[in-house]
Amino acid sequence: MINSNCSVVALAVPVVQEYERAVIFRLGRLLSGGAKGPGIFFILPCIDAYARVDLRTRTYDIPPQEVLTKDSVTVSVDAVVYYRVSNATVSIANVENAHHSTRLLAQTTLRNIMGQRPLHEILSERESISQHMKALLDDATDSWGINVERVEIKDVRLPVQLQRAMAAEAEAAREARAKVIAAEGEQKASRALREASEVIGDSPAALQLRYLQTLNTISSEKNSTIVFPLPIDIISYFMKGKEGLFK
């Protein structure tokens, strides 16, 4: 009789997708070699445990945050953060929930940055604020295996009373600029008229040409009444003749 001892080892063969990685723990210890995947890998049932990690970019829409700016104005700011897992092993081993931690950090970072800036910078420098926030988030989440790809400030909502005050201020500024422009136009027109009067004074024929041009302009408008100006020279001539008769 031939006795033979056969040992059978049971293996499980999970499959992870192209955008996934598997972090394996053997008897509670992190398995060397880093995350597995994509494709198939082998684990020992009841000995190994693994966690799937999605490497695709995620979008987090930060809810509106009530912020008191540096110049004591209350505004409501919301933003959007694009991030992804860059190191699957670190995101599982170093933090309990990398996604939840990143989202909470994004909210607090947005409030802190907006509270350090005055209102006019928040309204006019959104791009620089977004870049600064991205740098802070990326540096803080690097130890969690998270890479922040992009941060965008979506909207800055102002109180209604402040909106009305800013609109009134802008309207007053536009009216002031309009008055300045009108005054400059009148000044230039007066200078042009003075130069024109000097030219006409040097050449009497120019006054006659201007008179004919005015008559031509009036006649082209189809007016039924035309007023002929009487030169002062003629009136003065008759006045002198009348004075001679009385003498």
Side-chain angles (χ1 to χ4, degrees):
M1 180 180 294
I2 300 175
N3 295 326
S4 61
N5 296 325
C6 297
S7 60
V8 177
V9 178
L11 296 176
V13 186
V15 178
V16 293
Q17 303 297 328
E18 180 68 29
Y19 52 82
E20 292 178 332
R21 296 296 183 270
V23 179
I24 304 175
F25 293 88
R26 178 162 295 169
L27 297 177
R29 297 178 62 87
L30 184 64
L31 195 64
S32 60
K36 306 298 182 182
I40 63 173
F41 60 95
F42 302 97
I43 62 173
L44 300 176
C46 303
I47 297 179
D48 293 343
Y50 73 96
R52 292 176 182 266
V53 179
D54 196 328
L55 301 183
R56 291 176 294 184
T57 298
R58 295 197 177 193
T59 304
Y60 175 53
D61 193 0
I62 302 177
Q65 305 292 313
E66 294 290 337
V67 181
L68 185 65
T69 62
K70 188 176 182 179
D71 48 357
S72 301
V73 178
T74 302
V75 296
S76 178
V77 186
D78 57 351
V80 60
V81 179
Y82 301 89
Y83 69 95
R84 65 179 181 86
V85 176
S86 59
N87 191 323
T89 303
V90 172
S91 67
I92 295 296
N94 288 9
V95 62
E96 179 182 2
N97 190 327
H99 299 291
H100 184 64
S101 301
T102 301
R103 293 171 182 177
L104 290 180
L105 182 62
Q107 295 181 21
T108 56
T109 303
L110 178 62
R111 287 196 297 267
N112 293 337
I113 291 178
M114 294 302 176
Q116 298 173 359
R117 294 174 178 263
L119 180 61
H120 69 275
E121 289 186 7
I122 295 176
L123 297 176
S124 60
E125 300 180 5
R126 293 190 182 185
E127 186 65 27
S128 62
I129 294 175
S130 299
Q131 294 296 329
H132 182 49
M133 182 176 174
K134 174 186 177 299
L136 292 178
L137 285 176
D138 197 23
D139 183 65
T141 58
D142 184 63
S143 60
W144 300 342
I146 299 293
N147 177 29
V148 178
E149 297 179 337
R150 190 178 183 89
V151 176
E152 291 292 340
I153 304 298
K154 292 175 58 178
D155 192 16
V156 179
R157 298 182 182 90
L158 304 177
V160 178
Q161 294 180 352
L162 181 59
Q163 293 181 15
R164 293 175 180 173
M166 294 178 65
E169 181 182 1
E171 184 178 359
R174 287 194 297 268
E175 291 179 356
R177 286 196 299 269
K179 291 180 180 179
V180 171
I181 293 173
E184 291 177 352
E186 292 179 357
Q187 184 180 13
K188 292 180 181 179
S190 63
R191 291 177 180 175
L193 288 175
R194 185 186 65 182
E195 294 175 359
S197 64
E198 292 176 355
V199 173
I200 292 175
D202 295 339
S203 177
L207 180 61
Q208 185 67 21
L209 292 175
R210 179 60 180 166
Y211 167 67
L212 294 175
Q213 183 181 7
T214 303
L215 290 179
N216 184 30
T217 303
I218 295 174
S219 63
S220 64
E221 295 178 358
K222 298 181 181 180
N223 294 325
S224 59
T225 303
I226 298 178
V227 179
F228 289 92
L230 188 64
I232 300 298
D233 297 338
I234 298 177
I235 297 177
S236 61
Y237 175 76
F238 283 107
M239 292 297 292
K240 290 179 181 179
K242 187 176 180 180
E243 291 175 358
L245 291 176
F246 283 108
K247 290 179 179 179

